[in-house]
């Protein structure tokens, strides 16, 4: 009888030792172990161009915040990432940076277009927008159509859908297009009188009217939608983002996020 107990004790001690050993190995001895996420990293590397309030902008204390940043962080955490790392650059550099592997996802109020879909993969849409034409608040000249912009200098952000739209009409209506690396610089030039108008996404134009002495002259109904973009080869990441996004879009968490950045109106 005593022998049986000895064997049972030996077995229990052996099991404990193996358990502790395995735990120790995975928690200490394996620093290169990959994270169980679609990219194998603990952090999702997010690229953005923070000149686009309330989607992404630089806060008073210098950090990059906004609706897109909160939303992509929420999705990343649902997928299993510890957090996101934000990399800031000009809007125009985002797709090249994604393709080079410098970032893993673009969160920049980026409209889903057929041209972009040739090179990157988009998630399901999370927002819709039109384009708006901004002029100085004090201006008595208030254009109502693209034809009214004839002979004027119109500021756009390089690489945006707004820039493409204005360029399409440039020769027809003799519009001078001035490209900027950032919407903030374009709006500052508008305020200073260096240009006559700026074309940008309507929700962002509305935010700028609260921050600068500018007003919306008219809206161009393009009906574009925003998605997050990943490399086409990152199919697992795309699928995970889409599943998380589907869940989040119907949640109270999402409604709170909309409320936080857009208010109730
Ligand atoms: N929605 C427009 C586009 O995709 C403008 C996006 C600009 N975004 C930004 N973060 N500056 O072209």
């Amino acid at each position: 009888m005593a022998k049986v107990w000895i064997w049972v004790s030996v077995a229990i001690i052996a099991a404990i030792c193996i358990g502790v050993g395995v735990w120790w190995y995975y928690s200490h001895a394996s620093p290169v172990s990959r994270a169980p996420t679609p990219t194998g990293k603990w952090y999702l590397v997010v690229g953005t161009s923070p000149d686009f309030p309330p989607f992404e902008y630089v806060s008073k204390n210098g950090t990059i915040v906004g609706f897109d940043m909160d939303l992509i962080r929420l999705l990343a955490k649902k997928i299993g990432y510890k957090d996101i790392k934000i990399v800031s650059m000009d809007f125009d550099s985002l797709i090249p940076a994604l393709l080079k592997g410098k970032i893993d996802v673009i969160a920049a109020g980026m409209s889903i277009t057929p041209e972009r879909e040739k090179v990157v993969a988009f998630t399901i849409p999370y927002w819709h927008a039109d384009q708006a034409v901004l002029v100085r608040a004090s201006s008595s000249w208030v254009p109502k159509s693209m034809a009214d912009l004839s002979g004027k200098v119109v500021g756009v952000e390089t690489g945006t859908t707004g820039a493409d739209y204005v360029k399409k009409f440039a020769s027809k209506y003799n519009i001078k297009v001035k490209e900027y690396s950032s919407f903030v610089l374009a709006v500052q030039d508008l305020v200073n009188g260096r240009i006559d108008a700026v074309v940008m996404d309507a929700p962002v134009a509305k935010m700028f009217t609260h921050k600068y002495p500018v007003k919306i002259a008219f809206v161009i109904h393009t009906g574009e939608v925003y998605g997050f973009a990943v490399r086409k080869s990152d199919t697992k990441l795309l699928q995970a983002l889409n599943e998380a996004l589907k869940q989040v879009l119907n949640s109270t968490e999402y409604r709170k996020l909309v409320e936080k950045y857009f208010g109730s109106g």
Side-chain angles (χ1 to χ4, degrees):
M1 198 56 192
K3 258 190 180 169
V4 173
W5 285 113
I6 289 171
W7 283 115
V8 169
S9 319
V10 168
I12 291 173
I13 290 167
I16 291 172
C17 288
I18 291 169
V20 169
V22 168
W23 167 78
W24 180 265
Y25 179 79
Y26 280 106
S27 56
H28 296 80
S30 176
V32 290
S33 71
R34 286 164 61 83
T37 59
T39 52
K41 293 185 272 183
W42 287 112
Y43 293 88
L44 182 64
V45 186
V46 175
T48 197
S49 169
D51 61 342
F52 206 60
F55 296 94
E56 44 269 342
Y57 55 99
V58 182
S59 73
K60 285 200 184 78
N61 61 25
T63 54
I64 297 173
V65 296
F67 179 81
D68 282 345
M69 300 301 102
D70 280 6
L71 180 54
I72 195 70
R73 182 178 291 110
L74 198 66
L75 302 182
K77 288 194 172 169
K78 276 200 194 298
I79 295 171
Y81 290 92
K82 281 198 174 130
D83 204 343
I84 57 169
K85 279 197 174 131
I86 303 174
V87 183
S88 167
M89 64 190 82
D90 290 347
F91 184 75
D92 201 26
S93 306
L94 288 166
I95 290 183
L98 180 69
L99 299 180
K100 278 190 213 129
K102 287 188 183 154
I103 54 174
D104 293 320
V105 60
I106 298 172
M110 187 175 268
S111 304
I112 303 174
T113 67
E115 295 76 35
R116 289 173 183 161
E117 277 181 315
K118 282 183 196 149
V119 283
V120 299
F122 281 100
T123 61
I124 56 168
Y126 65 89
W127 205 262
H128 62 89
D130 293 308
Q131 295 294 313
V133 180
L134 282 176
V135 296
R136 277 179 292 284
S138 58
S139 173
S140 54
W141 171 71
V142 183
K144 288 283 163 249
S145 69
M146 291 308 284
D148 290 348
L149 296 176
S150 181
K152 301 286 182 182
V153 184
V154 178
V156 296
E157 180 172 86
T158 304
T160 59
T161 48
D164 285 347
Y165 192 87
V166 179
K167 281 182 190 169
K168 249 190 358 216
F169 291 93
S171 59
K172 185 174 173 193
Y173 295 128
N174 181 33
I175 300 167
K176 290 183 202 72
V177 184
K178 182 140 192 244
E179 292 199 28
Y180 292 87
S181 60
S182 146
F183 278 128
V184 175
L185 297 176
V187 171
Q188 281 168 356
D189 261 9
L190 174 63
V191 171
N192 295 334
R194 286 197 199 98
I195 57 177
D196 302 302
V198 174
V199 174
M200 67 166 74
D201 299 45
V204 180
K206 197 174 158 197
M207 294 306 291
F208 276 111
T209 63
H210 301 315
K211 278 183 157 179
Y212 294 89
V214 294
K215 63 185 175 194
I216 293 178
F218 71 99
V219 170
I220 307 159
H221 296 281
T222 56
E224 50 209 283
V225 290
Y226 299 166
F228 298 111
V230 300
R231 281 176 292 276
K232 283 191 173 194
S233 54
D234 271 343
T235 50
K236 276 198 191 127
L237 177 59
L238 181 66
Q239 202 188 331
L241 284 172
N242 273 336
E243 268 158 32
L245 191 51
K246 269 181 223 157
Q247 284 175 22
V248 165
L249 286 177
N250 296 311
S251 66
T252 37
E253 247 170 332
Y254 186 75
R255 273 197 292 280
K256 276 190 197 141
L257 211 60
V258 174
E259 178 85 19
K260 176 176 169 188
Y261 287 103
F262 296 89
S264 37

